[in-house]
Amino acid sequence: MAPAAALLLAPLLLGSLWGLSAAGSLLSRFGEHVREAQAELGEQSSAREGWLWQPLDPFNSSDRRSFLQRYWVNAGHWRAPDGPVFLHIGGEGSLGPSSVLKGHPGTLAPHWGALVISLEHRFYGHSVPPGGLGLEQLRFLSSRHALADVASARVHLSRIYNISASSPWVSFGGSYAGSLAAWARLKFPHLIWAAVASSAPVQAQLDFSSYNRGVSRSLADPTVGGSLKCRRAVALAFSELDRGLSEGTEARAALQSAVRACGALEAPEDQAELLEQLEGLVGAAVQYDQQAGAPLDVRGLCHLVLANRSGGPLSGLRDAVQRVLQALGLPCLPSSRAAAVAALRDTRPRATGPGDRQWFYQTCTEFGYYITCQDPSCPFSRRSVLSAQLQLCAQVFGLSPASVAEAVARTNTLLEGQGRGDIDPWHVLGVLRAPRPRDMVGRSSDPLRLRLGRQKEWGAGQWLDSISVPSL
């Protein structure tokens, strides 16, 4: 594989790519907690904030409207003017100063003498165009618009910082932003010399039932603290939940108390909401396994559901809920579908954290990624069906199921990519098979296969010292 085209997979999920049926889902909150905890680590003084004017519609030269897009710069290790540039592409949330100080770009920058720049995604964080998040505005939100922003920023930032034409630009990203990093290299090879894409789901998929196959495998994997007994216990806990929700008012009231649901569980849609939140908790334990700031990992979850207590696995799941709610500062587990839909309809921008409305719009108009539980290996409730997910696109944005399916097919036509992976639940939509995945930042506890993979990546970077990059 040529170094310039290398797409290196390691699943640090920087965003909550769960096919959101609800704003503020437990998986989304879990991921934001992890990011906030990691952002607090380290010195922030080397990061500088900047702004770029970008065209609102880069595909229509007659539209003169523009907006300010935020970026961050860390020049503390840069060998100006011809050292490499590491471009950290933002995804479905705001970016802070840690985006140029931590993670893979920040870790590699001292050795390579790199300038590190992060670019916040349009319509997220502080980079929201005037007019808010109404439907008329959101038509300018897509991965293709984001890629145009990357190309424009690459040109303008080269001039602003007097970056040499011989400096190689390397795009970095995780999760959806990892897809953008890979696509930026593929679409703009004259601008982006290489890409490091972590857990990049470059293939859009309407029914993403394979996510839960990944969760199921991880729950049974002893290398991360799982076991076949653990997977069976989780499946049993959800089976008990399903049965209790169907048994009557008294049983539902007992479940509401046991799992600390915020509201009554009489309506089928609220029962489904609760189940999705609990599935998100288990998915988050897998997705953010052993990352700094994660309140629960696979080993901890398995310990709880397998503990010898009279309540069985459901009692262990209840303890897991209590632990996570306490860590996230939540009084109870959201369980109102009406409240979730209302939150997704809220057009007010949110300056920090994930953009739930914006990302859900992108799933409805580009990617799908709706996680269902119809596969026999799925350990969760069989109530998670595609039709319910698609109904939300109609409720929130007025988009028919057929239009969502067509949008997903169009994305795969315009933005190529399909591949393989490993344990991380998003790997099945990734680029290529990786060594044992974890995240893009090394830890002493990482498995040998992951450390060897990073050594290969480090060696692949030797070309940075000698390559000649074509001028713009």
Coordinates of all heavy atoms in Angstrom, one line a residue, residues 30-94:
F30 N -22.9 9.7 26.7 CA -21.7 8.9 27.2 C -20.5 9.3 26.4 O -19.4 9.6 27.0 CB -22.0 7.4 26.9 CG -21.1 6.4 27.6 CD1 -21.6 5.5 28.5 CD2 -19.8 6.3 27.2 CE1 -20.8 4.6 29.1 CE2 -19.0 5.4 27.8 CZ -19.5 4.5 28.8
G31 N -20.6 9.5 25.1 CA -19.5 9.9 24.2 C -19.0 11.3 24.6 O -17.9 11.6 24.6
E32 N -20.0 12.2 24.8 CA -19.7 13.6 25.1 C -18.9 13.6 26.5 O -18.0 14.4 26.6 CB -20.9 14.4 25.2 CG -20.7 15.9 25.5 CD -19.8 16.6 24.4 OE1 -19.6 16.0 23.3 OE2 -19.3 17.7 24.8
H33 N -19.3 12.8 27.4 CA -18.6 12.7 28.7 C -17.2 12.3 28.5 O -16.2 12.8 29.1 CB -19.3 11.7 29.6 CG -18.7 11.6 31.0 ND1 -18.9 12.5 32.0 CD2 -17.9 10.6 31.5 CE1 -18.3 12.1 33.1 NE2 -17.6 11.0 32.8
V34 N -16.9 11.3 27.6 CA -15.6 10.8 27.4 C -14.8 11.9 26.7 O -13.6 12.2 27.1 CB -15.6 9.6 26.4 CG1 -14.2 9.3 25.9 CG2 -16.2 8.4 27.1
R35 N -15.3 12.7 25.8 CA -14.6 13.7 25.1 C -14.3 14.9 26.1 O -13.2 15.4 26.0 CB -15.4 14.2 23.9 CG -15.4 13.3 22.8 CD -16.1 13.9 21.5 NE -17.5 14.1 21.7 CZ -18.4 13.2 21.6 NH1 -18.1 12.0 21.3 NH2 -19.7 13.5 21.7
E36 N -15.2 15.2 26.9 CA -14.9 16.3 27.9 C -13.8 15.9 28.9 O -13.0 16.7 29.2 CB -16.2 16.6 28.7 CG -17.3 17.4 27.8 CD -18.6 17.6 28.6 OE1 -18.7 17.0 29.7 OE2 -19.4 18.3 28.0
A37 N -13.9 14.6 29.3 CA -12.8 14.2 30.2 C -11.5 14.2 29.6 O -10.5 14.6 30.2 CB -13.2 12.7 30.7
Q38 N -11.4 13.8 28.3 CA -10.1 13.8 27.6 C -9.6 15.2 27.3 O -8.4 15.4 27.3 CB -10.2 12.9 26.4 CG -10.5 11.4 26.7 CD -10.6 10.6 25.4 OE1 -10.7 11.1 24.3 NE2 -10.8 9.3 25.6
A39 N -10.6 16.1 27.1 CA -10.2 17.5 26.8 C -9.6 18.2 28.0 O -8.8 19.1 27.8 CB -11.4 18.2 26.3
E40 N -9.9 17.7 29.2 CA -9.4 18.3 30.4 C -8.0 17.9 30.7 O -7.3 18.6 31.5 CB -10.3 18.0 31.6 CG -11.7 18.6 31.5 CD -12.6 18.1 32.6 OE1 -12.1 17.2 33.4 OE2 -13.7 18.5 32.7
L41 N -7.5 16.9 30.0 CA -6.1 16.4 30.2 C -5.1 17.3 29.4 O -5.3 17.4 28.2 CB -6.0 15.0 29.8 CG -6.9 14.0 30.5 CD1 -6.8 12.6 29.9 CD2 -6.7 14.0 32.0
G42 N -4.2 17.8 30.0 CA -3.1 18.5 29.3 C -3.3 20.0 29.3 O -4.3 20.6 29.6
E43 N -2.2 20.7 28.8 CA -2.2 22.2 28.7 C -2.8 22.6 27.5 O -2.6 22.1 26.4 CB -0.7 22.6 28.7 CG -0.4 24.0 28.6 CD -1.1 24.8 29.7 OE1 -0.9 24.5 30.9 OE2 -1.8 25.8 29.4
Q44 N -3.6 23.7 27.6 CA -4.4 24.2 26.4 C -3.7 25.5 25.8 O -4.2 26.0 24.8 CB -5.8 24.6 26.9 CG -6.5 23.4 27.6 CD -6.9 22.3 26.6 OE1 -7.5 22.5 25.6 NE2 -6.5 21.1 27.0
S45 N -2.7 26.0 26.4 CA -2.2 27.3 26.0 C -1.6 27.4 24.6 O -1.4 28.4 24.1 CB -1.1 27.8 27.1 OG 0.0 26.9 27.1
S46 N -1.2 26.2 24.1 CA -0.6 26.2 22.7 C -1.6 26.3 21.6 O -1.2 26.5 20.5 CB 0.3 24.9 22.6 OG 1.3 24.9 23.5
A47 N -2.9 26.2 21.9 CA -3.9 26.2 20.9 C -4.4 27.6 20.7 O -4.6 28.4 21.6 CB -5.1 25.3 21.3
R48 N -4.6 28.0 19.4 CA -5.1 29.3 19.0 C -6.3 29.1 18.2 O -6.3 28.3 17.2 CB -4.0 30.1 18.3 CG -2.8 30.4 19.1 CD -3.1 31.5 20.2 NE -1.9 31.8 21.0 CZ -1.6 31.2 22.1 NH1 -2.4 30.3 22.6 NH2 -0.5 31.6 22.8
E49 N -7.3 30.0 18.4 CA -8.6 29.9 17.7 C -8.5 30.9 16.5 O -7.9 31.9 16.6 CB -9.7 30.3 18.6 CG -11.1 30.2 18.0 CD -12.2 30.7 19.0 OE1 -12.0 31.8 19.6 OE2 -13.2 30.0 19.2
G50 N -9.1 30.4 15.4 CA -9.2 31.3 14.2 C -10.5 31.1 13.4 O -11.3 30.2 13.8
W51 N -10.7 31.9 12.5 CA -12.0 31.9 11.7 C -11.8 32.1 10.2 O -10.9 32.9 9.9 CB -13.0 33.0 12.2 CG -13.3 32.8 13.7 CD1 -12.6 33.3 14.8 CD2 -14.4 32.1 14.2 NE1 -13.2 33.0 15.9 CE2 -14.3 32.2 15.6 CE3 -15.5 31.4 13.7 CZ2 -15.3 31.7 16.5 CZ3 -16.4 30.9 14.5 CH2 -16.3 31.0 15.9
L52 N -12.5 31.4 9.4 CA -12.5 31.5 8.0 C -13.8 31.8 7.4 O -14.9 31.3 7.9 CB -12.0 30.2 7.3 CG -10.6 29.7 7.5 CD1 -10.4 28.3 6.9 CD2 -9.7 30.7 6.7
W53 N -13.9 32.7 6.5 CA -15.1 32.9 5.7 C -15.3 31.8 4.7 O -14.4 31.6 3.9 CB -15.1 34.3 5.0 CG -15.4 35.4 6.0 CD1 -14.5 36.4 6.4 CD2 -16.7 35.8 6.6 NE1 -15.1 37.3 7.3 CE2 -16.4 37.0 7.4 CE3 -17.9 35.3 6.5 CZ2 -17.4 37.6 8.1 CZ3 -19.0 35.9 7.2 CH2 -18.7 37.0 8.0
Q54 N -16.4 31.1 4.7 CA -16.7 30.1 3.8 C -18.0 30.3 3.0 O -18.9 30.9 3.6 CB -16.8 28.7 4.5 CG -15.5 28.2 5.1 CD -14.6 27.5 4.2 OE1 -14.5 27.9 3.0 NE2 -13.8 26.6 4.6
P55 N -18.1 30.0 1.8 CA -19.4 30.2 1.0 C -20.4 29.2 1.6 O -20.1 28.0 1.9 CB -19.0 29.8 -0.4 CG -17.8 28.9 -0.3 CD -17.0 29.4 0.9
L56 N -21.6 29.7 1.8 CA -22.7 28.9 2.3 C -23.0 27.8 1.3 O -23.2 26.6 1.6 CB -24.0 29.7 2.5 CG -25.2 28.9 3.1 CD1 -24.9 28.3 4.4 CD2 -26.4 29.8 3.1
D57 N -23.0 28.1 0.0 CA -23.2 27.1 -1.1 C -22.0 27.1 -2.0 O -22.0 27.9 -3.0 CB -24.5 27.5 -1.9 CG -24.9 26.4 -2.9 OD1 -24.1 25.4 -3.0 OD2 -25.9 26.5 -3.5
P58 N -21.1 26.3 -1.7 CA -19.9 26.2 -2.6 C -20.1 25.7 -4.0 O -19.2 25.8 -4.8 CB -18.9 25.3 -1.8 CG -19.8 24.4 -1.0 CD -21.0 25.2 -0.7
F59 N -21.3 25.2 -4.3 CA -21.6 24.7 -5.6 C -22.4 25.6 -6.5 O -22.8 25.3 -7.5 CB -22.3 23.3 -5.4 CG -21.6 22.4 -4.5 CD1 -22.2 22.0 -3.3 CD2 -20.3 21.9 -4.8 CE1 -21.6 21.1 -2.4 CE2 -19.7 21.0 -3.9 CZ -20.3 20.6 -2.7
N60 N -22.6 26.8 -6.0 CA -23.3 27.8 -6.7 C -22.6 29.2 -6.6 O -22.7 29.9 -5.6 CB -24.8 28.0 -6.1 CG -25.6 29.0 -6.9 OD1 -25.2 29.6 -7.9 ND2 -26.8 29.2 -6.4
S61 N -21.8 29.5 -7.6 CA -21.0 30.7 -7.6 C -21.8 32.0 -7.6 O -21.3 33.0 -7.2 CB -20.0 30.7 -8.8 OG -20.8 30.7 -10.0
S62 N -23.1 31.9 -7.9 CA -23.9 33.1 -7.9 C -24.5 33.4 -6.5 O -25.0 34.5 -6.3 CB -25.1 33.0 -8.9 OG -25.9 31.9 -8.6
D63 N -24.4 32.4 -5.6 CA -24.9 32.6 -4.3 C -23.7 33.2 -3.4 O -22.7 32.5 -3.2 CB -25.3 31.3 -3.7 CG -26.0 31.5 -2.3 OD1 -25.8 32.5 -1.6 OD2 -26.8 30.6 -1.9
R64 N -23.8 34.5 -3.0 CA -22.7 35.2 -2.4 C -22.8 35.1 -0.9 O -21.9 35.7 -0.2 CB -22.7 36.6 -2.8 CG -22.7 36.9 -4.3 CD -21.6 36.2 -5.0 NE -20.3 36.6 -4.6 CZ -19.1 36.1 -5.0 NH1 -19.1 35.0 -5.8 NH2 -18.0 36.6 -4.6
R65 N -23.7 34.3 -0.3 CA -23.8 34.2 1.1 C -22.6 33.4 1.7 O -22.1 32.5 1.0 CB -25.1 33.5 1.5 CG -26.4 34.4 1.3 CD -27.6 33.6 1.6 NE -27.8 32.4 0.7 CZ -28.7 31.5 0.8 NH1 -29.6 31.6 1.8 NH2 -28.8 30.6 -0.1
S66 N -22.2 33.8 2.9 CA -21.1 33.1 3.5 C -21.3 33.0 5.0 O -22.3 33.5 5.6 CB -19.8 33.9 3.2 OG -19.9 35.2 3.8
F67 N -20.4 32.2 5.7 CA -20.5 32.1 7.1 C -19.1 31.9 7.7 O -18.1 31.6 6.9 CB -21.4 30.8 7.5 CG -20.7 29.5 7.2 CD1 -20.1 28.8 8.2 CD2 -20.7 29.0 5.9 CE1 -19.5 27.6 8.0 CE2 -20.1 27.8 5.7 CZ -19.5 27.0 6.7
L68 N -18.9 32.1 9.0 CA -17.6 31.9 9.6 C -17.5 30.5 10.1 O -18.3 30.0 10.9 CB -17.5 32.9 10.8 CG -17.1 34.4 10.3 CD1 -17.3 35.3 11.5 CD2 -15.7 34.4 9.8
Q69 N -16.4 29.9 9.7 CA -16.1 28.6 10.2 C -14.9 28.6 11.1 O -13.8 29.2 10.8 CB -15.8 27.6 9.0 CG -15.5 26.2 9.4 CD -15.4 25.3 8.1 OE1 -14.9 25.7 7.1 NE2 -15.9 24.1 8.2
R70 N -15.0 28.0 12.3 CA -14.0 28.1 13.3 C -12.9 27.0 13.0 O -13.2 25.9 12.6 CB -14.6 27.9 14.7 CG -13.5 28.0 15.8 CD -14.2 28.1 17.2 NE -14.9 26.8 17.5 CZ -15.3 26.6 18.8 NH1 -15.1 27.4 19.7 NH2 -15.9 25.4 19.0
Y71 N -11.7 27.3 13.4 CA -10.6 26.4 13.4 C -9.7 26.6 14.5 O -9.7 27.7 15.2 CB -9.8 26.4 12.0 CG -9.0 27.7 11.8 CD1 -7.7 27.8 12.2 CD2 -9.6 28.7 11.1 CE1 -7.0 28.9 11.9 CE2 -8.9 29.9 10.8 CZ -7.6 30.0 11.2 OH -6.8 31.1 11.0
W72 N -8.8 25.6 14.8 CA -7.9 25.8 15.9 C -6.5 25.4 15.3 O -6.4 24.6 14.4 CB -8.2 24.8 17.1 CG -9.4 25.1 17.8 CD1 -10.7 24.7 17.6 CD2 -9.5 26.0 18.9 NE1 -11.6 25.2 18.4 CE2 -10.9 26.0 19.3 CE3 -8.6 26.8 19.7 CZ2 -11.4 26.8 20.4 CZ3 -9.1 27.5 20.7 CH2 -10.4 27.5 21.1
V73 N -5.4 26.1 15.9 CA -4.1 25.9 15.4 C -3.1 25.6 16.6 O -3.2 26.3 17.6 CB -3.6 27.1 14.6 CG1 -2.1 26.9 14.2 CG2 -4.4 27.3 13.4
N74 N -2.3 24.7 16.4 CA -1.2 24.4 17.3 C 0.1 24.5 16.5 O 0.4 23.5 15.8 CB -1.3 23.1 18.1 CG -0.1 22.7 18.9 OD1 0.7 23.6 19.2 ND2 -0.1 21.5 19.4
A75 N 0.9 25.6 16.7 CA 2.1 25.7 15.9 C 3.4 25.5 16.8 O 4.5 25.8 16.5 CB 2.2 27.1 15.3
G76 N 3.1 24.9 18.0 CA 4.2 24.7 19.0 C 5.3 23.8 18.6 O 6.4 24.0 19.1
H77 N 5.1 22.9 17.6 CA 6.1 22.0 17.2 C 6.4 22.2 15.7 O 7.2 21.4 15.1 CB 5.6 20.5 17.4 CG 5.2 20.3 18.8 ND1 6.1 20.2 19.9 CD2 4.0 20.1 19.4 CE1 5.4 20.0 21.0 NE2 4.1 19.9 20.7
W78 N 5.9 23.2 15.1 CA 6.0 23.3 13.6 C 7.4 23.7 13.2 O 7.9 24.7 13.7 CB 5.0 24.3 13.1 CG 4.9 24.4 11.6 CD1 5.1 23.4 10.7 CD2 4.5 25.5 10.8 NE1 4.9 23.8 9.4 CE2 4.5 25.1 9.5 CE3 4.2 26.8 11.2 CZ2 4.2 26.0 8.5 CZ3 3.9 27.7 10.1 CH2 3.9 27.3 8.8
R79 N 8.0 23.0 12.2 CA 9.2 23.4 11.6 C 8.8 24.2 10.3 O 8.8 23.6 9.2 CB 10.0 22.2 11.2 CG 10.6 21.4 12.4 CD 11.7 20.5 12.0 NE 11.3 19.4 11.1 CZ 10.9 18.2 11.4 NH1 11.0 17.8 12.7 NH2 10.6 17.3 10.5
A80 N 8.5 25.5 10.6 CA 8.1 26.3 9.5 C 9.2 26.6 8.5 O 10.4 26.6 8.9 CB 7.5 27.6 10.0
P81 N 8.9 26.8 7.2 CA 7.6 26.9 6.6 C 7.2 25.6 5.9 O 6.1 25.4 5.4 CB 7.7 28.0 5.6 CG 9.1 27.8 5.1 CD 9.9 27.4 6.3
D82 N 8.1 24.6 5.9 CA 7.9 23.4 5.0 C 7.7 22.1 5.8 O 7.7 21.0 5.3 CB 9.0 23.2 4.0 CG 10.4 23.1 4.7 OD1 10.4 23.2 5.9 OD2 11.3 22.9 4.0
G83 N 7.4 22.2 7.1 CA 7.1 21.0 7.9 C 5.7 20.6 7.5 O 4.9 21.3 6.9
P84 N 5.3 19.3 7.8 CA 4.0 18.8 7.4 C 2.9 19.5 8.2 O 3.1 20.1 9.2 CB 4.1 17.3 7.8 CG 5.1 17.2 8.9 CD 6.1 18.3 8.5
V85 N 1.7 19.4 7.6 CA 0.5 19.9 8.2 C -0.4 18.8 8.5 O -0.8 18.0 7.6 CB -0.2 21.0 7.3 CG1 -1.4 21.5 8.0 CG2 0.8 22.1 7.0
F86 N -0.8 18.6 9.8 CA -1.8 17.6 10.2 C -3.2 18.3 10.3 O -3.3 19.1 11.2 CB -1.4 16.9 11.5 CG -0.1 16.1 11.4 CD1 0.5 15.7 12.5 CD2 0.4 15.7 10.2 CE1 1.7 14.9 12.5 CE2 1.5 15.0 10.1 CZ 2.2 14.6 11.2
L87 N -4.1 18.0 9.5 CA -5.4 18.6 9.5 C -6.4 17.7 10.1 O -6.8 16.6 9.5 CB -5.8 18.9 8.0 CG -7.2 19.6 7.9 CD1 -7.3 20.9 8.6 CD2 -7.6 19.7 6.4
H88 N -6.8 18.0 11.3 CA -7.8 17.3 12.1 C -9.2 17.8 11.6 O -9.6 18.9 11.9 CB -7.6 17.4 13.6 CG -8.7 16.8 14.4 ND1 -8.7 17.0 15.8 CD2 -9.8 16.1 14.1 CE1 -9.8 16.4 16.3 NE2 -10.4 15.8 15.3
I89 N -10.0 16.9 10.9 CA -11.3 17.3 10.4 C -12.3 17.0 11.5 O -12.4 15.9 12.0 CB -11.6 16.6 9.1 CG1 -10.5 16.9 8.1 CG2 -13.0 16.9 8.6 CD1 -10.7 16.1 6.8
G90 N -13.2 18.0 11.7 CA -14.2 17.9 12.7 C -15.4 17.1 12.2 O -15.6 17.0 11.0
G91 N -16.2 16.5 13.1 CA -17.3 15.7 12.8 C -18.6 16.3 13.4 O -18.8 17.5 13.3
E92 N -19.4 15.4 13.9 CA -20.8 15.8 14.3 C -20.9 16.5 15.7 O -21.7 16.1 16.5 CB -21.7 14.6 14.2 CG -21.4 13.5 15.1 CD -20.3 12.6 14.7 OE1 -19.5 13.0 13.9 OE2 -20.3 11.4 15.1
G93 N -20.0 17.4 16.0 CA -20.0 18.1 17.3 C -19.0 19.2 17.2 O -18.3 19.5 16.3
S94 N -19.0 20.0 18.3 CA -18.1 21.1 18.4 C -16.6 20.7 18.6 O -16.4 19.6 19.0 CB -18.5 22.0 19.6 OG -18.4 21.3 20.8

